[in-house]
């Protein structure tokens, strides 16, 4: 703890001495959490389809300021953990007409959900739709538990996706983009490179072309989603992937797509694939 | 005719004064009617000369032009967090003449086809445009991001950056 603060202070002093304005990501190979209990690589070689565009893919953590980075380095200081804990409580809470909880079928979350988040979104069992983690949760609630489905961005859903994501912390993101997922991936790619709204901005403008640059006080990252759900200081709460997508699209002065829409699920697959190899960080901290 | 109630008081007062004068100020051109010549717009969009002071405010205010979001301007040392997505505007008046500066602010895509820079005097031809920053579809025709006089004010300020 003390050494971490000292190291951070030294890094800050060096940065100040070098006159850096935070225009580039910091040079840290990993996020060291709880004094080394968990270490998460911050960089991975770019996936094949991006090799000519980016040399490597980078965690958004590298682009955040020192205080925000420090919060993710200690689970007691990570405000997102409170919500993951609430999700853990909900895991074993019986709900619905069938008298079941998540644990009734899946047993312990630690084993049954390990690695799950790293492969999301993916095709459903019927093979006719691309599902995000939220879809799988609601499918269980409605069809196995006989419970009401949760709203995509409801506190209950975000608590649950936080708890589930935490079981994959450290697992490299690996989503299927071939077979029946291929057309979803192509659609997501189209959306990524479409310039929406009155500001005529596509995801690629900020997060590929100008990643590392500053828009006013915002340090543009690669827009990776391996840290989601994330505790976002600006929102003082957990933010889902689609919630952040909607915020970005809104900021282009565009009409957004809805959370859970086919468009955002397709975009989620494409953006997830751009971060292949980065570890699941959820629950991360951003601002 | 003019929705004075929607304008800032200073602008409303200025327009009211204009309307009271016997000289008829021409209506600003519709964004789609602005004449470009190789990226330049020679004709001012209004009959009223641009205000340097107003231009400076528009450029540095989030809810207006917010040019400093992407561009650095050394002449505004009091404006925090100037961005670096676009080139510095220091000395920009030495690189472009007035007509070209106007053209760049109106719609820089006439000069740089794939530039990230938004067009500030344009109100149609978008993909899924929204109503401002609400994320919702607009009820009616969009307004350009800046009005004609605001464009002239920004151009007036840019011309001071020699």
């Amino acid at each position: 703890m003390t050494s971490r603060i000292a190291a951070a202070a030294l890094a800050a002093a060096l940065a100040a001495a070098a006159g850096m304005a935070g225009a580039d990501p910091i040079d840290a190979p990993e996020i060291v959490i709880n004094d080394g209990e968990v270490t998460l690589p911050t960089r991975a070689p770019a996936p094949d389809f991006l090799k000519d565009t980016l040399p490597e893919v980078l965690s958004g953590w590298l682009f955040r300021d020192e205080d925000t980075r420090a919060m993710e380095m200690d689970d007691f200081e990570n405000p997102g953990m409170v919500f993951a804990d609430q999700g853990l409580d909900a895991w074993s809470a019986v709900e619905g007409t069938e008298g079941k909880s998540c644990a009734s079928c899946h047993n312990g979350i630690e084993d049954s959900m390990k690695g799950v988040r790293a492969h999301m979104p993916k095709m459903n069992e019927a093979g006719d739709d691309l599902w995000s983690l939220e879809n799988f949760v609601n499918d269980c609630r409605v069809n196995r538990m006989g419970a009401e489905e949760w709203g995509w961005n409801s506190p209950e859903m975000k608590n649950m996706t936080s708890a589930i994501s935490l079981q994959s912390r450290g697992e490299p993101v690996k989503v299927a983009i071939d077979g029946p997922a291929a057309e979803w991936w192509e659609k997501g790619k189209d959306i990524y490179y479409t310039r929406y709204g009155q500001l005529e901005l596509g995801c690629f403008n900020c997060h590929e072309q100008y990643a590392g640059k500053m828009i006013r006080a915002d340090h543009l990252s690669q827009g990776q989603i391996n840290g989601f759900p994330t505790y976002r200081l600006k929102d003082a709460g957990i933010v889902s992937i689609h919630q952040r997508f909607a915020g970005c699209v809104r900021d282009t002065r565009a009409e957004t797509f809805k959370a859970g829409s086919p468009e955002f699920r397709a975009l989620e697959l494409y953006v997830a694939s751009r971060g292949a190899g980065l570890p699941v960080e959820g629950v991360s901290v951003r601002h | 005719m003019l929705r004075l109630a929607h304008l800032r008081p200073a602008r409303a007062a200025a327009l009211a004064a204009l309307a009271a004068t016997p000289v008829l100020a021409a209506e600003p051109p519709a964004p789609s009617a602005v004449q470009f010549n190789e990226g330049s717009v020679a004709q001012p969009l209004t009959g009223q000369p641009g205000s340097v002071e107003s231009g400076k405010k528009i450029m540095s205010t989030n809810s207006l032009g917010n040019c400093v979001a992407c561009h650095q301007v050394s002449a505004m040392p009091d404006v925090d967090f100037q961005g670096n997505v676009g080139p510095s505007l220091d000395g920009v008046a030495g690189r472009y003449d007035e007509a070209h500066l106007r053209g760049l602010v109106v719609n820089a895509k006439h000069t740089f086809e794939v530039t990230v820079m938004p067009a500030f005097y344009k109100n149609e031809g978008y993909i899924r445009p929204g109503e401002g920053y609400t994320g919702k579809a607009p009820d009616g025709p969009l307004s350009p991001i800046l009005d004609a006089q605001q464009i002239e004010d920004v151009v007036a300020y840019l011309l001071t950056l020699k």
Side-chain angles (χ1 to χ4, degrees):
Chain A
M1 189 83 162
T2 315
S3 63
R4 195 186 80 206
I5 291 168
L10 178 64
L14 285 174
M20 284 167 55
D24 295 308
I26 63 158
D27 185 21
E30 51 193 19
I31 308 170
V32 179
I33 298 175
N34 301 345
D35 288 326
E37 189 187 318
V38 179
T39 54
L40 305 174
T42 56
R43 297 162 181 267
D48 284 344
F49 70 89
L50 274 184
K51 280 222 158 38
D52 295 336
T53 311
L54 300 170
E56 56 182 352
V57 290
L58 307 173
S59 164
W61 181 85
L62 295 170
F63 297 81
R64 302 284 65 92
D65 69 25
E66 191 185 329
D67 291 344
T68 307
R69 293 199 306 270
M71 288 172 108
E72 191 177 326
M73 293 165 66
D74 187 326
D75 284 349
F76 283 104
E77 298 199 14
N78 180 339
M81 292 302 165
V82 172
F83 301 96
D85 280 347
Q86 290 175 16
L88 285 179
D89 290 344
W91 181 261
S92 48
V94 172
E95 264 199 84
T97 56
E98 305 306 303
K100 289 179 180 172
S101 69
C102 307
S104 305
C105 297
H106 296 289
N107 300 312
I109 191 172
E110 295 83 357
D111 293 329
S112 60
M113 293 297 118
K114 187 174 171 53
V116 165
R117 168 71 176 87
H119 309 297
M120 294 285 166
K122 66 175 191 177
M123 297 305 294
N124 63 3
E125 206 173 349
D128 60 1
D129 204 4
L130 180 80
W131 282 5
S132 301
L133 184 52
E134 287 87 345
N135 296 111
F136 284 94
V137 170
N138 270 338
D139 180 58
C140 271
R141 285 184 60 78
V142 173
N143 295 318
R144 296 197 200 183
M145 296 167 67
E148 294 278 309
E149 66 174 23
W150 281 329
W152 198 277
N153 288 324
S154 63
E156 293 84 359
M157 180 64 88
K158 290 196 275 189
N159 292 345
M160 184 57 71
T161 56
S162 296
I164 293 174
S165 296
L166 196 53
Q167 313 312 319
S168 299
R169 191 158 66 164
E171 294 272 337
V173 170
K174 188 181 180 195
V175 287
I177 61 173
D178 55 358
E183 62 180 289
W184 286 91
W185 187 82
E186 288 292 343
K187 181 177 176 167
K189 183 180 178 183
D190 282 348
I191 292 171
Y192 191 89
Y193 287 104
T194 298
R195 299 183 66 166
Y196 291 105
Q198 195 166 14
L199 299 188
E200 298 176 279
L201 295 173
C203 310
F204 76 104
N205 285 123
C206 290
H207 299 294
E208 180 177 283
Q209 199 177 3
Y210 291 109
K213 299 283 189 180
M214 306 292 295
I215 288 191
R216 209 76 202 250
D218 286 336
H219 195 188
L220 297 173
S221 73
Q222 289 184 347
Q224 300 291 356
I225 56 175
N226 61 304
F228 280 77
T230 189
Y231 184 88
R232 191 164 188 246
L233 297 165
K234 196 172 169 182
D235 296 78
I238 296 287
V239 169
S240 74
I241 295 167
H242 291 199
Q243 192 176 359
R244 189 55 237 149
F245 284 169
C248 268
V249 178
R250 176 201 63 212
D251 289 348
T252 70
R253 287 190 183 229
E255 179 188 359
T256 63
F257 298 101
K258 286 187 168 42
S261 62
E263 289 86 356
F264 274 170
R265 282 182 279 132
L267 183 62
E268 182 184 339
L269 177 63
Y270 179 69
V271 176
S273 76
R274 291 176 66 97
L278 287 174
V280 171
E281 279 177 44
V283 184
S284 70
V285 185
R286 301 289 188 262
H287 57 244
Chain B
M1 181 184 73
L2 288 166
R3 292 169 303 151
L4 292 180
H6 293 189
L7 301 173
R8 285 173 300 131
R11 173 67 38 69
L15 283 170
L18 264 185
T21 59
V23 182
L24 272 180
E27 283 284 322
S32 59
V34 174
Q35 294 296 312
F36 278 87
N37 181 13
E38 296 184 353
S40 295
V41 174
Q43 183 71 29
L45 303 184
T46 69
Q48 186 184 346
S51 155
V52 171
E53 203 48 41
S54 167
K56 184 177 182 183
K57 180 157 187 277
I58 292 163
M59 290 185 60
S60 56
T61 303
N62 283 3
S63 57
L64 297 174
N66 202 18
C67 308
V68 295
C70 293
H71 298 283
Q72 181 256 334
V73 186
S74 296
M76 299 181 181
D78 50 325
V79 176
D80 286 340
F81 302 118
Q82 301 182 5
N84 60 3
V85 165
S88 164
L89 297 180
D90 292 355
V92 75
R95 297 193 289 279
Y96 298 102
D97 63 15
E98 179 184 329
H100 208 161
L101 287 173
R102 184 177 293 109
L104 287 167
V105 179
V106 168
N107 188 347
K109 293 180 182 74
H110 285 266
T111 300
F112 306 108
E113 197 182 343
V114 297
T115 182
V116 70
M117 181 170 163
F120 286 85
Y121 196 65
K122 175 179 170 176
N123 66 344
E124 57 191 358
Y126 300 118
I127 300 170
R128 288 181 76 86
E131 182 66 50
Y133 293 103
T134 65
K136 296 185 167 65
D139 290 331
L142 293 174
S143 300
I145 298 171
L146 296 178
D147 68 30
Q149 190 59 49
Q150 288 173 321
I151 299 286
E152 292 304 318
D153 293 352
V154 169
V155 172
Y157 180 77
L158 291 174
L159 283 167
T160 70
L161 302 176
K162 295 195 197 308

